[in-house]
Amino acid sequence: MRHCSVQVRGLLTRDELDRYNALMEVGSYLESQNRYDLSYIVQKEVDLLIMPAIERLKEKSRARDRADEQYLRSLAGDGGDEDEDEDDDSKQ
């Protein structure tokens, strides 16, 4: 059975995480019994289960990118204002 990443697991809801752990346990048992045909089906269920958490991770990344872009824009805007303030101070 393939586990999902720690980042994705961290974004699973409590119910999703409980179901994920149960499915992984069942899948591991099936693999230990050499029932790879059935563990494949369980793995597909795990893949479907983690899709909402993957989307939450993507949205979190997009939000971070937007915040970074906004911060960089504010730096570019502030850089011009600081120069004007320094020029005003030197004239006085």
Side-chain angles (χ1 to χ4, degrees):
M1 296 291 298
R2 290 172 305 164
H3 283 276
C4 65
S5 69
V6 173
Q7 292 88 353
V8 171
R9 254 182 281 165
L11 294 174
L12 290 171
T13 64
R14 191 67 186 136
D15 290 338
E16 290 169 339
L17 186 60
D18 290 342
R19 186 159 186 235
Y20 171 84
N21 289 330
L23 287 170
M24 291 304 290
E25 190 173 329
V26 168
S28 295
Y29 173 77
L30 289 171
E31 284 181 344
S32 72
Q33 301 298 311
N34 293 324
R35 293 301 311 261
Y36 297 104
D37 56 332
L38 295 176
S39 67
Y40 174 79
I41 295 168
V42 173
Q43 181 67 57
K44 289 297 177 187
E45 284 298 312
V46 169
D47 293 344
L48 290 173
L49 176 66
I50 64 173
M51 289 307 292
I54 291 172
E55 289 303 316
R56 290 190 285 270
L57 184 62
K58 287 179 183 178
E59 181 54 39
K60 196 174 176 182
S61 176
R62 287 194 281 285
R64 185 182 61 242
D65 290 345
R66 285 190 297 269
D68 288 348
E69 183 180 352
Q70 185 179 15
Y71 174 72
L72 291 173
R73 283 183 183 171
S74 72
L75 286 180
D78 288 346
D81 292 342
E82 288 177 8
D83 291 339
E84 290 175 12
D85 290 342
E86 289 175 9
D87 290 339
D88 291 342
D89 290 340
S90 63
K91 290 178 184 176
Q92 292 177 354

